[in-house]
């Protein structure tokens, strides 16, 4: 009989009314059940001879699932649901960022102890020993160090029989896109495509976004109430994650993003429009994020000409890219730069950008 633990867990949530039955998620659930059955088989595999000799079971090559899709589609939820159904004490579920920090730490400690080039395989051995199932949430490749490390690490971990699940926003072919020396990373992409079951959550619903009503995203006047409102909106859109600082390279310069999580980035107005930023920076943000938070936008008429110009460019760029904008401002769009004719189009766009239709549209970036 086919085991369908994940399907049963999913159905229970639907029956409780905790989640909405989603066809794309159902498909992913079925694939996870197949994967789960193979893992269960691998966990149970013990040869009689090895048992008699009290040797640990010989482990075959581990398998993988690559769970991908745009933000809010339910990747993490399904991964966690799957994780719960797996019956072994040797399982581990960890955020990619935290995992990589640990890996760097372990490698560093070994190198200090003169293990040299073998450090990665020694670390992989340890990881595989501790977990037959390793679930990594928000898998991504940030920099050249990780790009060069990940392939060797995961190949070695899986060769030791560990099964791996990645949840990620990035499809395999786009991993480490535009990265330095990317050709050295391509074998890992080939490995993923060959060894992993790629499950795409392609449903049209961003379940986080569903929690936002239209007109909620522009708050005025400034003050504590506005700050709290923006904070609540941020929490809804990121499931309570404070967000991590990150850096983008734009034309050879670093653009600092103070807080980023789940496709959203959060800035103070001053950080975006009172610094020497321009179209290239705003385009980079529009390419990378679905939603931008801009807090504490002051009145922009009169002397604030440079900041106003930048704000105009910013809004044009976001609007063209259909990026969502959440904003706290000193006044309503029309009153933000009254008397300044260059701001009229921006004010009208800011209005449109608050509509339910604009907020709930199908996302364009991934
Ligand atoms: N079918 C559903 N019905 C209702 N809510 C859902 C459903 N699927 C997911 N959710 C909820 O929507 C939110 C987003 O889901 P989840 O965090 O799993 O998305 P994700 O694909 O991991 O997003 P990200 O790429 O940003 O990490 C969660 O709070 C989750 O509980
Ligand atoms: Mg997630």
């Amino acid at each position: 009989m086919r085991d369908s633990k994940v399907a049963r867990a999913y159905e229970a949530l639907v029956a409780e009314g905790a989640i909405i039955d989603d066809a794309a998620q159902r498909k992913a659930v079925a694939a996870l059940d197949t994967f789960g059955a193979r893992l269960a088989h691998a966990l149970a595999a013990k040869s009689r001879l090895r048992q008699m000799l009290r040797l640990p079971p010989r482990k075959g090559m581990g398998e993988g699932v690559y769970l991908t899709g745009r933000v809010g589609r339910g990747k993490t939820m399904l991964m966690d649901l799957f994780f719960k159904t797996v019956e072994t004490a040797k399982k581990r579920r960890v955020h990619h960022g935290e995992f990589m920090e640990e890996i760097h730490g372990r490698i560093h400690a070994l190198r200090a102890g003169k293990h040299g080039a073998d450090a990665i395989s020694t670390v992989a051995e340890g990881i595989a020993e501790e977990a037959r199932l390793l679930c990594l949430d928000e898998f991504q490749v940030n920099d050249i160090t990780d790009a060069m490390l990940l392939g060797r690490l995961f190949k070695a971990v899986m060769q030791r029989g560990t099964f791996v699940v990645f949840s990620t926003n990035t499809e395999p072919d786009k991993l480490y896109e535009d990265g330095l020396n990317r050709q050295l990373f391509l074998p890992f992409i080939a490995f993923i495509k060959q060894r992993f079951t790629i499950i795409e959550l392609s449903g049209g619903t961003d379940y986080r976004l569903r929690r936002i009503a239209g007109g909620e995203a522009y708050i005025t006047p400034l003050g504590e109430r506005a700050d709290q409102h923006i904070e609540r909106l941020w929490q809804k859109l990121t499931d309570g994650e404070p967000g991590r600082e990150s850096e983008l390279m734009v034309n050879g310069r670093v653009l600092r993003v103070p807080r980023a999580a789940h496709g959203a980035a959060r800035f103070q107005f001053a950080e975006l429009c009172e610094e020497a930023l321009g179209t290239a920076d705003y385009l980079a943000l529009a390419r990378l994020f679905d939603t931008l938070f801009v807090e504490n936008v002051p009145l922009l008429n009169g002397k604030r000409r440079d900041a106003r110009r930048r704000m105009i460019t910013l809004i044009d760029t976001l609007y063209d890219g259909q990026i969502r904008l959440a904003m706290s401002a000193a006044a309503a769009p029309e009153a933000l730069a009254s008397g300044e004719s260059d701001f009229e189009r921006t004010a009208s766009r800011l209005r449109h950008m608050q509509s339910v239709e604009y907020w709930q549209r199908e996302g364009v970036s991934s």
Side-chain angles (χ1 to χ4, degrees), residues 10 18-22 25 69-78 137-138 167 169 207-208 211 239 262:
Y10 187 87
I19 60 167
I20 295 158
D21 204 342
D22 177 310
Q25 290 184 348
R70 298 213 310 262
V71 293
R73 263 55 182 184
K75 299 180 294 296
T76 299
M77 182 201 57
L78 292 183
D137 198 24
E138 295 186 27
S167 115
N169 294 127
Y207 286 101
R208 259 188 230 109
R211 302 184 195 132
D239 279 323
H262 297 294

Side-chain angles (χ1 to χ4, degrees), residues 103-119:
I103 296 296
H104 288 303
R106 286 193 187 197
I107 289 176
H108 188 77
L110 282 172
R111 290 213 168 128
K114 297 208 178 10
H115 275 70
D118 262 354

Side-chain angles (χ1 to χ4, degrees), residues 11 119 141 164 170 221 230 277 315:
E11 274 153 26
V141 186
V164 172
T170 315
I230 290 285
L277 301 185
I315 299 304

